[in-house]
C-alpha cells in the first residue's frame, strides 16, 4: 500500500478534481503490475495497473489507495475490470466519499466472492486526498493559507523588501504546492505592490488559476497577470462592474461579480463561484489583510507557515496577518495536527483548522 501511495502522488496537479490514486498488483509475493491515475479523463489506477501487468493477474492481490469506482464516468467502472481479470483479493486504503461509490464498490466485489479488506494505511490515504474529500463533501474549494516569515514574525523589512525571506528549498516547496492545487489567490494590494506572476516555476509544473480579490477592479492592465491572462487562466473578483472591469475582461481576464462584505469581496460567495468553475483547491498567498479576512470568514482549512531562522525587527515591518485581529487570546485560532518539516535552513510548520 505504501508503494501504491508513492505511485498515487505522481498524479498531483494533473487529475483535479479527481482524487490521486495508486494501485499495485501482487502475485506469489511479486509485483506484477503498477499504475496510477495519470490525468483527469484518463484510465483509473486499477485499469492502468491491470494494463501494465507482466503476467496473467488471475488470483492476484490488488492494493489500491482508494475504493474502486463502480459507476460510469469518463471511464468504465473499475469493479468491472477487477472482476473480468479474476483478481483474488482486494486491499483498499480508504473508502470513497463520492456518494456514487461510498462503500458500493467494495460491496460489489464482496458480493461477487472477492475478499475485500479496507483501512490499509487509511490515515495516509485520506491525507493524500484531503482536497478531494473536502470538495466532494462540501462543494467548496479546500483553502491553504501560506506565508513565509522571519523568526520574529515579519514577512518583509520595514522598507518593504521581502526577497527573499526563505531559501531555495522552501521556495521550491511552494512551487510544488502551486503545481498541486488548482488555484492561487491574492488581494489587489499584493498585485499593486509586487506585480507577481503567480505561476509554477518547476519543470512540467501545472500553472494554477490565478485569482485576485479586487473589489473595484484596480488591477493594472499592464501588470504581469493581465499581460499573460490569455496564456494562464486569470480571474478577477469584483463587487461592482465599471469601465476598468470591462477593460480587464477585454484584456483576457475572467471577471466574477461577487457579493460585497464590508466593502470587500464576500469570500464565501467567491468560494462558491470558484467551485462552480471546477476549482477544488486554493493556495492563498497574500496579503496580510486578505489572509485575516479569509480566517475571519472561515474559509481556510490548512495553514503553511514557512519560518526562516532570521531576525529583522521593525515596529512597522509587515506581519503575515493584518485586519483588526481577535480581541482576546482565547479567541485565537489553533492549528490541529501540527507538523514541522525542515527545508534547507528553514522550517515549514503545517496544521489544519
Amino acid at each position: 500500500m505504501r508503494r501504491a501511495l508513492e505511485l498515487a502522488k505522481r498524479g498531483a496537479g494533473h487529475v483535479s478534481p479527481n482524487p490521486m490514486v495508486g494501485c499495485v498488483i501482487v502475485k506469489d509475493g511479486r509485483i506484477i503490475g503498477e499504475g496510477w491515475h495519470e490525468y483527469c479523463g484518463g484510465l483509473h489506477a486499477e485499469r492502468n495497473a491491470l494494463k501494465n501487468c507482466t503476467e496473467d493477474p488471475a488470483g492476484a492481490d490488488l492494493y489500491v489507495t482508494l475504493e474502486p469506482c463502480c459507476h460510469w464516468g469518463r471511464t468504465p467502472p473499475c469493479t468491472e475490470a477487477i472482476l473480468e481479470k479474476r483478481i483474488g483479493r482486494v486491499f483498499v486504503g480508504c473508502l470513497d466519499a463520492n456518494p456514487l461509490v461510498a462503500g458500493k464498490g467494495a460491496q460489489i466485489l464482496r458480493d461477487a466472492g472477492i475478499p475485500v479488506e479496507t483501512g490499509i494505511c487509511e490515515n495516509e490515504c485520506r491525507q493524500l486526498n484531503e482536497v478531494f474529500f473536502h470538495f466532494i463533501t462540501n462543494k467548496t474549494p479546500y483553502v491553504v493559507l501560506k506565508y513565509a516569515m522571519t523568526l520574529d514574525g515579519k514577512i518583509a523589512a520595514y522598507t518593504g523588501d521581502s526577497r527573499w525571506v526563505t531559501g531555495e528549498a522552501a521556495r521550491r516547496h511552494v512551487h510544488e504546492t502551486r503545481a498541486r492545487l488548482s488555484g492561487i489567490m491574492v488581494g489587489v494590494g499584493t498585485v499593486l505592490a509586487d506585480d507577481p506572476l503567480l505561476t509554477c516555476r518547476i519543470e512540467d509544473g501545472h500553472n494554477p488559476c490565478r485569482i485576485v480579490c479586487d473589489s473595484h477592479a484596480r488591477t493594472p492592465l499592464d501588470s504581469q497577470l493581465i499581460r499573460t491572462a490569455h496564456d494562464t487562466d486569470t480571474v478577477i473578483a469584483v463587487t461592482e462592474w465599471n469601465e476598468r472591469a470591462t477593460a480587464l475582461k477585454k484584456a483576457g481576464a475572467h471577471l466574477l461579480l461577487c457579493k460585497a462584505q464590508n466593502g470587500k469581496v464576500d469570500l464565501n460567495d467567491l468560494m462558491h463561484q470558484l467551485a462552480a468553475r471546477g476549482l477544488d483547491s486554493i493556495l492563498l498567498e497574500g496579503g496580510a489583510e486578505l489572509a485575516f479576512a479569509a480566517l475571519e470568514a472561515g474559509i481556510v482549512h490548512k495553514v503553511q507557515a514557512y519560518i526562516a531562522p532570521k531576525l529583522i525587527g521593525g515596529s512597522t515591518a509587515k506581519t503575515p496577518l493584518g485586519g483588526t485581529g481577535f480581541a482576546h487570546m482565547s479567541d485565537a485560532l489553533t492549528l490541529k495536527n501540527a507538523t514541522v518539516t525542515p527545508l534547507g535552513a528553514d522550517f515549514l510548520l503545517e496544521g489544519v483548522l
Side-chain angles (χ1 to χ4, degrees):
M1 190 61 76
R2 295 200 186 282
R3 174 59 181 165
L5 278 163
E6 290 177 7
L7 294 169
K9 292 174 184 176
R10 298 183 185 181
H14 302 289
V15 300
S16 175
N18 288 350
M20 293 175 278
V21 184
C23 181
V24 174
I25 299 173
V26 178
K27 190 171 187 178
D28 299 327
R30 297 172 290 108
I31 291 178
I32 64 168
E34 294 184 335
W36 67 93
H37 186 32
E38 298 174 5
Y39 60 92
C40 188
L43 292 177
H44 287 186
E46 299 94 320
R47 287 186 176 270
N48 271 328
L50 290 167
K51 176 173 65 73
N52 295 334
C53 278
T54 55
E55 59 184 87
D56 185 359
D61 293 337
L62 183 146
Y63 293 80
V64 63
T65 56
L66 187 68
E67 179 183 8
C69 66
C70 56
H71 66 288
W72 276 84
R74 293 183 177 92
T75 57
C78 289
T79 49
E80 287 185 2
I82 292 170
L83 294 173
E84 288 170 4
K85 296 297 183 180
R86 295 179 292 128
I87 291 295
R89 296 184 299 176
V90 174
F91 297 88
V92 176
C94 59
L95 296 179
D96 197 337
N98 187 337
L100 295 174
V101 187
K104 300 183 184 73
Q107 192 59 49
I108 285 173
L109 297 176
R110 290 189 179 112
D111 290 345
I114 297 178
V116 178
E117 185 174 342
T118 63
I120 313 299
C121 301
E122 184 171 8
N123 288 339
E124 294 96 320
C125 291
R126 288 194 65 85
Q127 186 175 3
L128 175 70
N129 282 306
E130 59 188 358
V131 167
F132 169 76
F133 283 111
H134 171 84
F135 189 67
I136 200 74
T137 303
N138 298 282
K139 312 301 182 189
T140 57
Y142 187 87
V143 178
V144 179
L145 170 61
K146 165 262 169 185
Y147 53 84
M149 68 179 188
T150 59
L151 194 58
D152 54 342
K154 309 297 184 181
I155 61 174
Y158 74 91
T159 59
D161 179 58
S162 61
R163 295 194 177 184
W164 294 100
V165 174
T166 54
E168 185 176 335
R171 297 199 301 273
R172 179 176 177 81
H173 191 274
V174 171
H175 284 281
E176 290 172 351
T177 303
R178 287 185 181 184
R180 191 170 69 250
L181 304 183
S182 58
I184 181 169
M185 187 166 77
V186 298
V188 68
T190 296
V191 175
L192 294 172
D194 301 335
D195 190 22
L197 191 56
L198 302 181
T199 53
C200 175
R201 292 187 283 279
I202 56 176
E203 188 177 355
D204 298 324
H206 156 77
N207 281 334
C209 172
R210 304 173 302 185
I211 305 141
V212 181
C213 291
D214 183 6
S215 302
H216 307 297
R218 292 189 294 147
T219 299
L221 293 173
D222 62 351
S223 64
Q224 290 195 93
L225 291 176
I226 302 306
R227 293 203 313 269
T228 58
H230 286 293
D231 303 316
T232 303
D233 195 16
T234 305
V235 170
I236 310 294
V238 300
T239 58
E240 62 175 346
W241 200 274
N242 53 30
E243 291 183 3
R244 292 192 57 80
T246 301
L248 289 169
K249 184 176 181 180
K250 287 182 179 178
H254 300 281
L255 274 289
L256 291 182
L257 183 59
C258 299
K259 297 176 183 176
Q261 180 77 22
N262 298 323
K264 306 290 186 181
V265 170
D266 184 317
L267 294 175
N268 280 288
D269 180 43
L270 175 58
M271 290 302 106
H272 284 97
Q273 293 201 46
L274 293 174
R277 291 177 58 86
L279 273 67
D280 64 357
S281 51
I282 304 293
L283 180 62
L284 177 53
E285 285 221 357
E289 298 300 315
L290 178 60
F292 185 75
L295 289 169
E296 205 170 27
I299 68 166
V300 177
H301 306 99
K302 189 174 189 176
V303 175
Q304 291 184 331
Y306 295 85
I307 304 171
K310 301 175 180 178
L311 301 171
I312 195 167
S315 60
T316 60
K318 291 183 178 180
T319 58
L321 300 181
T324 56
F326 297 118
H328 305 285
M329 192 59 69
S330 59
D331 298 329
L333 301 176
T334 303
L335 298 183
K336 302 174 184 175
N337 305 324
T339 61
V340 178
T341 305
L343 293 169
D346 308 309
F347 297 90
L348 168 62
L349 192 153
E350 291 181 281
V352 296
L353 289 170

